[in-house]
C-alpha cells in the first residue's frame, strides 16, 4: 500500500483540486434542501419577492454544483487513470527485466490477469474510492448539522433506518462480492471445459463421447446457473433496500414530523427540507458499503501486484567501458543444472537436467548439439544466454564467466534463433529488425535473403510490410522460422545460436538456407541444436546429449564409426528424409 | 481499426430477427417472463404513488385550506380514523412501500431466472451443436474463439436482461407515468417542469454521439494494449535476448498512454453528462419553487402539489442519467447474439444417415475405392487412392509429411467426407453407417494424446460408463500402463491435469493404448508417435503394441522401422498417391520405390561417412 500512496502523491495537487471540488459539490448539494425550506416558508408567508430570490439561488447553486461536480468527478477519476498508467508502465518495464525463474513461477495467463483485473481494482480504489471518501462524510456532516439545527428529535428518528441500511449493506456487499467472485470462477470453469473439449474434439468424436461430454457440461452449466441465481437474489434486494430506506425515512418525517407540524414544533418548510436530506443521504450510505469492498479488493489486488515489484531482478553489473569485444570462444565448464535445485529432483525423478557438461568451442567454429527431446539441449543454450543460471560449474565466453558480463553486453554478443518463433504482430520488417532498430532497408533485405525468405516475400503483396497475424498466424511454420533466422543474422553477433531452428522447414528449403548461412556465418562461432542429420554433419564438433550428460562427442565421421547413439539417430533420420523426398 | 460493433448492419428488422431468435430460448419460460413484465408497471405505480401520498398528507393535514377534500377512496378511511388521520396516511405509505419492494424484487428475480435458465439452455445447445460440427469447422475456428462465444458473448446477453433493455422499459414507464401525473396535477406547472426536456434530449444525443466515438477508441486501444502486453510477456525471452527493453518499453508506453487518454476523455464526457443532468434536475426544482410557489401564494395550487412536483422532478431525471450506457449494453448484446446465431447456423454436414445400414458381419475389412480428397478446393491431398485390407491384417502407411498419410485415417472414421470415390468398412460405405456405430468400431490412437481433466479411470473409460473399475484396470494392465499408474499416489483415481502435464509423453502413449483396449474395437487406426522416449518406456510400448494389434485390423501411420518391418503390408504414399504396396520382403524384392529408399539410405550412409571424412580432413 505504501507504494500506492507514493503514486498518489505523484498526482497530489490534482487530487487536492478534485477533493476541493467534491467538497464544493457536497456543500452546494446540501444547501439545496435548506433553500427549499426557506422557499416554502416564504410561500406560507406569501412573500413573492423573497421566493423569487430563493428560486434564483437554487438555480445558481445548481449551475455551480454542476460545474463543481463535473470537475470533481473527472479530475479524481482521471487521477485514478493516471495512477493506473504509471503502475502499468512501471510493472511492464519490470516484467521485461525479470528472469527465467520468475516466469517459471507465474504463467502468462496469471500475469495477464494481474495486469488487467488487479490493476483495475487498484484504479477503482484510487478513483471511485477516493471520491467516496471525500464525499460521504462531508454530506453527513452538513445534513446532520442542518437537520439538528432544525429539530434534534426528528433528526434522530429519521436517521434510524439509515443505521439499519448501513449495517445491512456492510454485510450484503461482502456476500455480494463473494457471490460475484464465485460466478466469475464458474464462468472460468465453463470456459476451460469448452477449451478442453474443443481441443480434444477428435478424441470426443472418435470415441463417441459427445453425449457423455455434454452431460458433464450440463452439470457445470447448471451449477453456474445456480450461482448466477444466488447472486441475483442478493443483487435484487440492493436497489429496493435503498429505496425503501429512503421511503421509510420519508414516512417517519411525514407522520412524526407531521404531528410536529400540527403542534407547530416545526414548520412545513423544515419538513420538506428533511425529506430532501433524507433523499440526499441514500446513495452515500449505500456507497459506504461499496467503499469498504472497493478498498478491500484494491488492497488485495495491490498485494498481488507487489509480488511483481518485489521479484528479484537478475543481478546487474556495472556497464563496461566501451563495447564488449569478444572473439567467440564458448565453454561449458563442468556445468550442472537442475530446475529444482532445492528439491534435488524434478517431477520425473531425474535430479538434473544437465550434469557435468564439459564442452569447448573455439572461436569461429561450428558446434552441433544433438539428442532426444528432454536431453538438455535447449537448457545448455539457456545457460549460455543466462536465461537460466547453472546450479554448478561455469559457462565461459572468451574465458570469462558469463555471470561477470553485464547482461545486456552478454546478449549483444549472442544472436539466438529460438525453437519457438515468437513473432510479434507487426510487420515482417519490424520483426527482422527487432534487435537492431537502426538497421537500414538494405540490411533487412540482405538478412531476409540469407534466411531464404526472399522468395516467399515476393509472393506477398505487401512484402516486408506484411503484417504478421497474432502469434504469427498468417505465416507458415517454416516462414516464421526463417523470419527468426533473419532476425538473428541482422543482429550481427559474434556467436550465433540456432536452437532447432529449421525443424518446420522442408528439406529443400533447409538445404538452401544452410548454404546461404555458410556464407552468412563466416567467422562467427555457430552453435546448432538439431535433431536433423543434414544440419549437423558438417559441424566441427558434434555433442550428443543423453539424459543430461554428454554421451558422445566428435566429428560426424568419428561418431558414425563409433556406431553409438548418433549413428542410430542418423540412420533413422535418413529414412525419414528419404521418405520425405519421394 | 473498425470495431465489431460498428461493423454490424444496424437495420431494425435485422435486430428484430435476432431478438426473435433469442426469444426461442426464452419461450419455455415465457410464463415467468410475462409475469415479470406485468410486475413492471405495478412497480412503477407503487413508486409513483408515494409522492402523491406526500401531496395528500401536506394538503389534508399539514397545510390544510378550504376546498381541499380527500379523494373518494380515502374519505371513508379518514372518517373512521378520526384524529389519527396521519397514522392512516402512514399505513397506506407502508403498504405502497411493501408493494414497491415486492414488485421490484419479484420482477428482478423473475427476469434473472428467465435469463439464467434460457441462456444456460442456449449455452448447452451451442455446446452440443458445436461438438457435432465437422472437423473442417475446427480447422477454421481457433479454440479461443469458441470459448469466448460460450462465455463472454452469452454473458453480454445476460447483461441485457439484467441491467440493460428491460430496465430501460421500466425507465420508460416511469418517465411517462411521471409526465401523466404531472399534467393531471397541474397543466401549467407540468409544462414548466418539463421545459428543459427538449434541449436536454439534444444534449444527451450530443454526448451519446461523442461517447460512442470515445468508447470505440477505448475498445480498440485497450485491445491493442492488452494484446501487446500478452505478446511481450509471452516473448519476454526474445526481448531480453535481443536487448530490446528500452524500445519495447517505449512502444508499450505509447499504447498505454493512448489508452489512458481515451479513458480520460470518456471520463470527461461521462462526468459532464452526469453533472449536467443533475444540474438541470436541480434547476427544474428551482423553477417549480418559483412558478409553483407563486401560484401557491395566489392559492392556485396547493403546497402539497408543489412538494409532489419537486419529488417527481427528482425521480424524472434519475433514469435519464444512464440511458446511454443502457443503450450500449443493448447494442453489445445484439452484437453477441449475432455471433451466436451465426454459430448455431453452422451446418452439421457429417451426421448419421436417416436410415443407416448395418453390415452383415463386423469382421473389420477396409476398402478405399478411388478416393479423392482435398481440405481446400484446388489443393488435392489424396488423388484416387484404392486399396483393400482384409480382416485382421496390419497395414503400415509410410510417406513424407504432407503425403496424405494422416488424412487416410481421418477419412476412415468420417472426420471428413471424401470428394469422390468411397470408403467401405465391412462392405458398407462409411456414409451409410450409423456414425456412432462406425466410430465405436474403429479405435483411434493419435500422436498427440489428449488427456482430459479427471482421474485415470475417467480418461480410459471416457463415455463407457458400463465398464467397471476392474475392466479398466485390466485394460491398463494389457497396455503396460498399470506399472506407472500404481506408482501414482491415488493409483487409478489419480487426478490428471488438462493436457496431462503431470504425465510423461510415453506414459500418455500407454494411457491412450489402454483407452483403445478398453473400447475393444474391431479396427484400430493409429498415428504412431514420433517423440522419442527412454528405452524402458520404448520396450513397454512395443509390448503393449503387440497386445493392441492382436486380433484386430490395423491401419498404422508408421514412423518406427520395427513397426514398418512387422506389418503384413506396407503402403508407400507420395504426394497423395499410393505408389507401392506389399510386405517388407516383397517390396524389397520388387526393387521399386521402397527398395530404392533402402538402397539410397545405405548409399547415402556410405557417402555421408566419406563426405564427412573428407570435409574433416580439409579443415
Amino acid at each position: 500500500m505504501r507504494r500506492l500512496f507514493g503514486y498518489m502523491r505523484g498526482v497530489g495537487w490534482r487530487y487536492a483540486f478534485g477533493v476541493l471540488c467534491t467538497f464544493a459539490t457536497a456543500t452546494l448539494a446540501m444547501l439545496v434542501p435548506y433553500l427549499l425550506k426557506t422557499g416554502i416558508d416564504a410561500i406560507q408567508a406569501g412573500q413573492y419577492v423573497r421566493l423569487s430570490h430563493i428560486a434564483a439561488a437554487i438555480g445558481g447553486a445548481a449551475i455551480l454544483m454542476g460545474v463543481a461536480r463535473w470537475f470533481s468527478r473527472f479530475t479524481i477519476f482521471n487521477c485514478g487513470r493516471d495512477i493506473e498508467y504509471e503502475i502499468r508502465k512501471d510493472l511492464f518495464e519490470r516484467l521485461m527485466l525479470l528472469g527465467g525463474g520468475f516466469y517459471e513461477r507465474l504463467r502468462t495467463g496469471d500475469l495477464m490477469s494481474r495486469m488487467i483485473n488487479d490493476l483495475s481494482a487498484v484504479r477503482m480504489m484510487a478513483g471511485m474510492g477516493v471520491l467516496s471518501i471525500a464525499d460521504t462524510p462531508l454530506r453527513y456532516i452538513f445534513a446532520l448539522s442542518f437537520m439538528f439545527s432544525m429539530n434534534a428529535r426528528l433528526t434522530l428518528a429519521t436517521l434510524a433506518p439509515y443505521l439499519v441500511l448501513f449495517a445491512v449493506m456492510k454485510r450484503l456487499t461482502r456476500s455480494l462480492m463473494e457471490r460475484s467472485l464465485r460466478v466469475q470462477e464458474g464462468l472460468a470453469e465453463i470456459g476451460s471445459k469448452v477449451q478442453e473439449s474443443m481441443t480434444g474434439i477428435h478424441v470426443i468424436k472418435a470415441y463417441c463421447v459427445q453425449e457423455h461430454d455434454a452431460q458433464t457440461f450440463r452439470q457445470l452449466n447448471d451449477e453456474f446457473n445456480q450461482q448466477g441465481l444466488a447472486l441475483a437474489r442478493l443483487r435484487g434486494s440492493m436497489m429496493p433496500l435503498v429505496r425503501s430506506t429512503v421511503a421509510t425515512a420519508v414516512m417517519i418525517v411525514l407522520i412524526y414530523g407531521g404531528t410536529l407540524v400540527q403542534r407547530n414544533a416545526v414548520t412545513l418548510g423544515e419538513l420538506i427540507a428533511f425529506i430532501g436530506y433524507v433523499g440526499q443521504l441514500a446513495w452515500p450510505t449505500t456507497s459506504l458499503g461499496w467503499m469498504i469492498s472497493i478498498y478491500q479488493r484494491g488492497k488485495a489486488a495491490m498485494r498481488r501486484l507487489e509480488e511483481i515489484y518485489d521479484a528479484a531482478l537478475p543481478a546487474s553489473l556495472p556497464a563496461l567501458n566501451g563495447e564488449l569485444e569478444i572473439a567467440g570462444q564458448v565453454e561449458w565448464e563442468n556445468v550442472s543444472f537442475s530446475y529444482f535445485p532445492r528439491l534435488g529432483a524434478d517431477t520425473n525423478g531425474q535430479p538434473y537436467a544437465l550434469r557435468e557438461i564439459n564442452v569447448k568451442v573455439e572461436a569461429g567454429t561450428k558446434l552441433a548439439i544433438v539428442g532426444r527431446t528432454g536431453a538438455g539441449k535447449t537448457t545448455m543454450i539457456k545457460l549460455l544466454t543466462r536465461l537460466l543460471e547453472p546450479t554448478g560449474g561455469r559457462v565461459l565466453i572468451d574465458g570469462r564467466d558469463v555471470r561477470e558480463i553485464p547482461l545486456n553486453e552478454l546478449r549483444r554478443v549472442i544472436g539466438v534463433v529460438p525453437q519457438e518463433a515468437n513473432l510479434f504482430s507487426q510487420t515482417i520488417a519490424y520483426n527482422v529488425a527487432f534487435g537492431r532498430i537502426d538497421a537500414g532497408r538494405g540490411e533487412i533485405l540482405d538478412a531476409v535473403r540469407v534466411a531464404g525468405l526472399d522468395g516467399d516475400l515476393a509472393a506477398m503483396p505487401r512484402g516486408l510490410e506484411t503484417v504478421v497475424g497474432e502469434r504469427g498466424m498468417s505465416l507458415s511454420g517454416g516462414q516464421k522460422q526463417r523470419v527468426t533466422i533473419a532476425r538473428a543474422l541482422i543482429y550481427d553477433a559474434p556467436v550465433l545460436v540456432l536452437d532447432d531452428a529449421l525443424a518446420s522447414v522442408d528439406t529443400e528449403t533447409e538445404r538452401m538456407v544452410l548454404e546461404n548461412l555458410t556464407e552468412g556465418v563466416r567467422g562467427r562461432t555457430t552453435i546448432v541444436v538439431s535433431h536433423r542429420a543434414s544440419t549437423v554433419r558438417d559441424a566441427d564438433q558434434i555433442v550428443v546429449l543423453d539424459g543430461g550428460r554428454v554421451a558422445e562427442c566428435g566429428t560426424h565421421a568419428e561418431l558414425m564409426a563409433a556406431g553409438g547413439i548418433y549413428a542410430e539417430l542418423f540412420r533413422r533420420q535418413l529414412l525419414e528424409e528419404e521418405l520425405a523426398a519421394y | 481499426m473498425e470495431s465489431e460493433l460498428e461493423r454490424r448492419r444496424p437495420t431494425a428488422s435485422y435486430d428484430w430477427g435476432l431478438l426473435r431468435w433469442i426469444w426461442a430460448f426464452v419461450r419455455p419460460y415465457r410464463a415467468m417472463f410475462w409475469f415479470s413484465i406485468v410486475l413492471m408497471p405495478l412497480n412503477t405505480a407503487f413508486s409513483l404513488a408515494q409522492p402523491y401520498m406526500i401531496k395528500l398528507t401536506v394538503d389534508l393535514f399539514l397545510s390544510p385550506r378550504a376546498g381541499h377534500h380527500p379523494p373518494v377512496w380515502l374519505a371513508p378511511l379518514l372518517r373512521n380514523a378520526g384524529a389519527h388521520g396521519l397514522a392512516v396516511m402512514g399505513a397506506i405509505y407502508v403498504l405502497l412501500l411493501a408493494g414497491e419492494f415486492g414488485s421490484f424484487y419479484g420482477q428482478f428475480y423473475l427476469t434473472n431466472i428467465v435469463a439464467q435458465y434460457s441462456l444456460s439452455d442456449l449455452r448447452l445447445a451451442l455446446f452440443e451443436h458445436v461438438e457435432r460440427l465437422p472437423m473442417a469447422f475446427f480447422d477454421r475456428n481457433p479454440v479461443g474463439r469458441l470459448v469466448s462465444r460460450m462465455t463472454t458473448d452469452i454473458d453480454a446477453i445476460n447483461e441485457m436482461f439484467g441491467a440493460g433493455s428491460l430496465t430501460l422499459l421500466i425507465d420508460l414507464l416511469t418517465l411517462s407515468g411521471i409526465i401523466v401525473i404531472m399534467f393531471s396535477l397541474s397543466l401549467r406547472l407540468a409544462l414548466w417542469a418539463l421545459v428543459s426536456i427538449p434541449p436536454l434530449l439534444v444534449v444527451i444525443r450530443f454526448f451519446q454521439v461523442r461517447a460512442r466515438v470515445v468508447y470505440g477508441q477505448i475498445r480498440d486501444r485497450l485491445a491493442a494494449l492488452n494484446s501487446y502486453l500478452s505478446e511481450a510477456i509471452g516473448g519476454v525471452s526474445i526481448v531480453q535476448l535481443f536487448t530490446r527493453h528500452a524500445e519495447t518499453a517505449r512502444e508499450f508506453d505509447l499504447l498505454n498512454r493512448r489508452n489512458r487518454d481515451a479513458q480520460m476523455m470518456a471520463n470527461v464526457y461521462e462526468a459532464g453528462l452526469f453533472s449536467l443532468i443533475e444540474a438541470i434536475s436541480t434547476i427544474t426544482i428551482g423553477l417549480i419553487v418559483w412558478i409553483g410557489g407563486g401560484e401557491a401564494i395566489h392559492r392556485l395550487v396547493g403546497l402539497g402539489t408543489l412538494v409532489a412536483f419537486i419529488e417527481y422532478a427528482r425521480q424524472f431525471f434519475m433514469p435519464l442519467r444512464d440511458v446511454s450506457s443502457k443503450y450500449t449494453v443493448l447494442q453489445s448484446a445484439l452484437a453477441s447474439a449475432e455471433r451466436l446465431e451465426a454459430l448455431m447456423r453452422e451446418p452439421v454436414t457429417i451426421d448419421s444417415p436417416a436410415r443407416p445400414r448395418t453390415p452383415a458381419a463386423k469382421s473389420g475389412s477396409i476398402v478405399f475405392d478411388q478416393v479423392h480428397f482435398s481440405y481446400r478446393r484446388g489443393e488435392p491431398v489424396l488423388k484416387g487412392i484404392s486399396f483393400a485390407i482384409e480382416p485382421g491384417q496390419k497395414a503400415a502407411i509410410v510417406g513424407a509429411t504432407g503425403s496424405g498419410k494422416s488424412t487416410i485415417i481421418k477419412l476412415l472414421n468420417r472426420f471428413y467426407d471424401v470428394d469422390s470415390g468411397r470408403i467401405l468398412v465391412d462392405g458398407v460405405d462409411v456414409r451409410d453407417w450409423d456414425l456412432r456405430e462406425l466410430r465405436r468400431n474403429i479405435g483411434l490412437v493419435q500422436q498427440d494424446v489428449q488427456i482430459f481433466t479427471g482421474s485415470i479411470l475417467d480418461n480410459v473409460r471416457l463415455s463407457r460408463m458400463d465398464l467397471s473399475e476392474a475392466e479398466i484396470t485390466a485394460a491398463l494392465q494389457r497396455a503396460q500402463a498399470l506399472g506407472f499408474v500404481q506408482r501414482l499416489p491415488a493409483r487409478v483415481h489419480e487426478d490428471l491435469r488438462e493436457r496431462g502435464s503431470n504425465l510423461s509423453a510415453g506414459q500418455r502413449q500407454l494411457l491412450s493404448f489402454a483407452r483403445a483396449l478398453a473400447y475393444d474395437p474391431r479396427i484400430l487406426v493409429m498415428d504412431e508417435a514420433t517423440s522419442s522416449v527412454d528405452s524402458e518406456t520404448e520396450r513397454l510400448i512395443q509390448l503393449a503394441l503387440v497386445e493392441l494389434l492382436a486380433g484386430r485390423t490395423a491401419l498404422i501411420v508408421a514412423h518406427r522401422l520395427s513397426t514398418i518391418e512387422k506389418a503384413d503390408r506396407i503402403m508407400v504414399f507420395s504426394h497423395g498417391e499410393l505408389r507401392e504396396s506389399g510386405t517388407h520382403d516383397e517390396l524389397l524384392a520388387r526393387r521399386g520405390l521402397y527398395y530404392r529408399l533402402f538402397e539410397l539410405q545405405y548409399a547415402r550412409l556410405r557417402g555421408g561417412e566419406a563426405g564427412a571424412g573428407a570435409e574433416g580432413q580439409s579443415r
Side-chain angles (χ1 to χ4, degrees), chain B residues 217-259:
Chain B
Q217 271 178 354
I218 287 178
R219 217 169 23 232
D220 295 344
R221 292 179 182 187
L222 196 61
L225 178 72
N226 284 336
S227 80
Y228 190 92
L229 181 65
S230 119
E231 275 191 5
I233 292 178
V236 66
S237 61
I238 302 296
V239 173
Q240 294 180 349
L241 288 174
F242 288 89
T243 56
R244 204 179 200 270
H245 317 79
E247 186 64 13
T248 304
R250 204 186 55 75
E251 285 172 352
F252 184 74
D253 188 44
L254 184 71
L255 294 172
N256 196 5
R257 198 178 289 270
R258 278 165 56 84
N259 172 58

Side-chain angles (χ1 to χ4, degrees), chain B residues 13 18 35 79 111 133 151 175 177 199 273 280 291 294 309 357 374-375 379 389 408 440 471 516 584:
Chain B
S13 67
L18 283 174
F35 190 44
R79 251 196 315 279
T111 312
L133 289 174
T151 53
L175 292 182
L273 186 63
I280 289 185
I291 306 293
F309 256 86
R357 279 180 57 197
S374 58
Y375 290 102
E379 293 172 34
I389 300 172
I408 298 276
R440 274 274 155 97
E471 284 170 292
H584 180 68

